[in-house]
PDB file of all heavy atoms in Angstrom:
ATOM      1  N   THR O1265      -3.061  47.869  84.585  1.00 85.00           N
ATOM      2  CA  THR O1265      -3.137  49.273  84.992  1.00 85.00           C
ATOM      3  C   THR O1265      -3.761  50.146  83.908  1.00 85.00           C
ATOM      4  O   THR O1265      -4.405  51.151  84.212  1.00 85.00           O
ATOM      5  CB  THR O1265      -1.739  49.824  85.331  1.00 85.00           C
ATOM      6  OG1 THR O1265      -0.860  49.584  84.224  1.00 85.00           O
ATOM      7  CG2 THR O1265      -1.178  49.152  86.572  1.00 85.00           C
ATOM      8  N   THR O1266      -3.610  49.763  82.649  1.00 85.00           N
ATOM      9  CA  THR O1266      -4.185  50.556  81.556  1.00 85.00           C
ATOM     10  C   THR O1266      -5.703  50.610  81.675  1.00 85.00           C
ATOM     11  O   THR O1266      -6.318  51.672  81.495  1.00 85.00           O
ATOM     12  CB  THR O1266      -3.789  49.973  80.191  1.00 85.00           C
ATOM     13  OG1 THR O1266      -2.372  49.986  80.064  1.00 85.00           O
ATOM     14  CG2 THR O1266      -4.399  50.792  79.053  1.00 85.00           C
ATOM     15  N   SER O1267      -6.313  49.479  82.007  1.00 82.00           N
ATOM     16  CA  SER O1267      -7.771  49.436  82.142  1.00 82.00           C
ATOM     17  C   SER O1267      -8.240  50.314  83.296  1.00 82.00           C
ATOM     18  O   SER O1267      -9.249  51.023  83.190  1.00 82.00           O
ATOM     19  CB  SER O1267      -8.240  47.993  82.367  1.00 82.00           C
ATOM     20  OG  SER O1267      -7.878  47.170  81.285  1.00 82.00           O
ATOM     21  N   VAL O1268      -7.500  50.274  84.407  1.00 87.00           N
ATOM     22  CA  VAL O1268      -7.844  51.112  85.560  1.00 87.00           C
ATOM     23  C   VAL O1268      -7.674  52.584  85.211  1.00 87.00           C
ATOM     24  O   VAL O1268      -8.537  53.415  85.537  1.00 87.00           O
ATOM     25  CB  VAL O1268      -6.972  50.746  86.779  1.00 87.00           C
ATOM     26  CG1 VAL O1268      -7.133  51.780  87.889  1.00 87.00           C
ATOM     27  CG2 VAL O1268      -7.359  49.366  87.302  1.00 87.00           C
ATOM     28  N   ARG O1269      -6.581  52.918  84.535  1.00 88.00           N
ATOM     29  CA  ARG O1269      -6.324  54.317  84.168  1.00 88.00           C
ATOM     30  C   ARG O1269      -7.423  54.842  83.244  1.00 88.00           C
ATOM     31  O   ARG O1269      -7.899  55.973  83.411  1.00 88.00           O
ATOM     32  CB  ARG O1269      -4.966  54.440  83.488  1.00 88.00           C
ATOM     33  CG  ARG O1269      -4.555  55.882  83.193  1.00 88.00           C
ATOM     34  CD  ARG O1269      -3.169  55.959  82.591  1.00 88.00           C
ATOM     35  NE  ARG O1269      -2.178  55.329  83.459  1.00 88.00           N
ATOM     36  CZ  ARG O1269      -1.459  54.268  83.123  1.00 88.00           C
ATOM     37  NH1 ARG O1269      -1.608  53.715  81.930  1.00 88.00           N
ATOM     38  NH2 ARG O1269      -0.596  53.734  83.971  1.00 88.00           N
ATOM     39  N   GLU O1270      -7.853  54.020  82.280  1.00 84.00           N
ATOM     40  CA  GLU O1270      -8.911  54.445  81.367  1.00 84.00           C
ATOM     41  C   GLU O1270     -10.208  54.713  82.120  1.00 84.00           C
ATOM     42  O   GLU O1270     -10.927  55.681  81.825  1.00 84.00           O
ATOM     43  CB  GLU O1270      -9.136  53.374  80.295  1.00 84.00           C
ATOM     44  CG  GLU O1270      -8.011  53.300  79.272  1.00 84.00           C
ATOM     45  CD  GLU O1270      -8.168  52.128  78.321  1.00 84.00           C
ATOM     46  OE1 GLU O1270      -9.077  51.289  78.553  1.00 84.00           O
ATOM     47  OE2 GLU O1270      -7.386  52.047  77.351  1.00 84.00           O
ATOM     48  N   PHE O1271     -10.513  53.859  83.112  1.00 84.00           N
ATOM     49  CA  PHE O1271     -11.724  54.078  83.906  1.00 84.00           C
ATOM     50  C   PHE O1271     -11.627  55.385  84.688  1.00 84.00           C
ATOM     51  O   PHE O1271     -12.576  56.180  84.714  1.00 84.00           O
ATOM     52  CB  PHE O1271     -11.947  52.913  84.875  1.00 84.00           C
ATOM     53  CG  PHE O1271     -12.978  53.213  85.928  1.00 84.00           C
ATOM     54  CD1 PHE O1271     -14.330  53.158  85.635  1.00 84.00           C
ATOM     55  CD2 PHE O1271     -12.598  53.585  87.215  1.00 84.00           C
ATOM     56  CE1 PHE O1271     -15.282  53.464  86.596  1.00 84.00           C
ATOM     57  CE2 PHE O1271     -13.537  53.892  88.180  1.00 84.00           C
ATOM     58  CZ  PHE O1271     -14.890  53.820  87.868  1.00 84.00           C
ATOM     59  N   LEU O1272     -10.489  55.614  85.343  1.00 87.00           N
ATOM     60  CA  LEU O1272     -10.327  56.820  86.158  1.00 87.00           C
ATOM     61  C   LEU O1272     -10.378  58.089  85.306  1.00 87.00           C
ATOM     62  O   LEU O1272     -10.960  59.103  85.717  1.00 87.00           O
ATOM     63  CB  LEU O1272      -9.017  56.752  86.939  1.00 87.00           C
ATOM     64  CG  LEU O1272      -8.955  55.667  88.026  1.00 87.00           C
ATOM     65  CD1 LEU O1272      -7.545  55.564  88.599  1.00 87.00           C
ATOM     66  CD2 LEU O1272      -9.961  55.934  89.136  1.00 87.00           C
ATOM     67  N   ILE O1273      -9.785  58.034  84.120  1.00 85.00           N
ATOM     68  CA  ILE O1273      -9.838  59.197  83.221  1.00 85.00           C
ATOM     69  C   ILE O1273     -11.284  59.476  82.826  1.00 85.00           C
ATOM     70  O   ILE O1273     -11.733  60.627  82.833  1.00 85.00           O
ATOM     71  CB  ILE O1273      -8.965  58.944  81.973  1.00 85.00           C
ATOM     72  CG1 ILE O1273      -7.481  58.959  82.360  1.00 85.00           C
ATOM     73  CG2 ILE O1273      -9.253  59.992  80.896  1.00 85.00           C
ATOM     74  CD1 ILE O1273      -6.553  58.520  81.239  1.00 85.00           C
ATOM     75  N   ARG O1274     -12.007  58.425  82.492  1.00 78.00           N
ATOM     76  CA  ARG O1274     -13.417  58.597  82.097  1.00 78.00           C
ATOM     77  C   ARG O1274     -14.244  59.130  83.260  1.00 78.00           C
ATOM     78  O   ARG O1274     -15.102  59.985  83.092  1.00 78.00           O
ATOM     79  CB  ARG O1274     -13.970  57.243  81.629  1.00 78.00           C
ATOM     80  CG  ARG O1274     -15.402  57.281  81.135  1.00 78.00           C
ATOM     81  CD  ARG O1274     -15.732  56.023  80.354  1.00 78.00           C
ATOM     82  NE  ARG O1274     -15.509  54.821  81.131  1.00 78.00           N
ATOM     83  CZ  ARG O1274     -16.443  54.259  81.899  1.00 78.00           C
ATOM     84  NH1 ARG O1274     -17.634  54.809  82.009  1.00 78.00           N
ATOM     85  NH2 ARG O1274     -16.187  53.148  82.558  1.00 78.00           N
ATOM     86  N   PHE O1275     -13.955  58.644  84.449  1.00 76.00           N
ATOM     87  CA  PHE O1275     -14.716  59.057  85.635  1.00 76.00           C
ATOM     88  C   PHE O1275     -14.372  60.490  86.048  1.00 76.00           C
ATOM     89  O   PHE O1275     -15.212  61.202  86.607  1.00 76.00           O
ATOM     90  CB  PHE O1275     -14.418  58.095  86.784  1.00 76.00           C
ATOM     91  CG  PHE O1275     -15.412  58.169  87.903  1.00 76.00           C
ATOM     92  CD1 PHE O1275     -16.571  57.433  87.859  1.00 76.00           C
ATOM     93  CD2 PHE O1275     -15.186  58.994  88.986  1.00 76.00           C
ATOM     94  CE1 PHE O1275     -17.501  57.506  88.886  1.00 76.00           C
ATOM     95  CE2 PHE O1275     -16.108  59.075  90.012  1.00 76.00           C
ATOM     96  CZ  PHE O1275     -17.267  58.320  89.967  1.00 76.00           C
ATOM     97  N   SER O1276     -13.140  60.921  85.760  1.00 80.00           N
ATOM     98  CA  SER O1276     -12.675  62.220  86.249  1.00 80.00           C
ATOM     99  C   SER O1276     -13.427  63.388  85.635  1.00 80.00           C
ATOM    100  O   SER O1276     -13.412  64.496  86.190  1.00 80.00           O
ATOM    101  CB  SER O1276     -11.172  62.379  85.986  1.00 80.00           C
ATOM    102  OG  SER O1276     -10.905  62.457  84.592  1.00 80.00           O
ATOM    103  N   ARG O1277     -14.071  63.183  84.514  1.00 74.00           N
ATOM    104  CA  ARG O1277     -14.765  64.311  83.878  1.00 74.00           C
ATOM    105  C   ARG O1277     -15.936  64.823  84.707  1.00 74.00           C
ATOM    106  O   ARG O1277     -16.444  65.907  84.473  1.00 74.00           O
ATOM    107  CB  ARG O1277     -15.239  63.927  82.483  1.00 74.00           C
ATOM    108  CG  ARG O1277     -16.400  62.951  82.437  1.00 74.00           C
ATOM    109  CD  ARG O1277     -16.697  62.599  80.985  1.00 74.00           C
ATOM    110  NE  ARG O1277     -17.837  61.713  80.867  1.00 74.00           N
ATOM    111  CZ  ARG O1277     -17.792  60.401  81.002  1.00 74.00           C
ATOM    112  NH1 ARG O1277     -16.634  59.834  81.297  1.00 74.00           N
ATOM    113  NH2 ARG O1277     -18.867  59.658  80.856  1.00 74.00           N
ATOM    114  N   PHE O1278     -16.384  64.019  85.693  1.00 71.00           N
ATOM    115  CA  PHE O1278     -17.464  64.482  86.556  1.00 71.00           C
ATOM    116  C   PHE O1278     -16.959  65.434  87.642  1.00 71.00           C
ATOM    117  O   PHE O1278     -17.750  65.992  88.393  1.00 71.00           O
ATOM    118  CB  PHE O1278     -18.167  63.289  87.216  1.00 71.00           C
ATOM    119  CG  PHE O1278     -18.834  62.375  86.230  1.00 71.00           C
ATOM    120  CD1 PHE O1278     -18.387  61.080  86.068  1.00 71.00           C
ATOM    121  CD2 PHE O1278     -19.904  62.808  85.460  1.00 71.00           C
ATOM    122  CE1 PHE O1278     -18.996  60.227  85.157  1.00 71.00           C
ATOM    123  CE2 PHE O1278     -20.511  61.971  84.554  1.00 71.00           C
ATOM    124  CZ  PHE O1278     -20.054  60.671  84.392  1.00 71.00           C
TER     125      PHE O1278
END
Side-chain angles (χ1 to χ4, degrees):
T1265 54
T1266 300
S1267 300
V1268 169
R1269 186 177 303 117
E1270 288 173 352
F1271 167 78
L1272 293 172
I1273 290 172
R1274 182 164 57 90
F1275 197 86
S1276 67
R1277 71 184 183 277
F1278 297 115

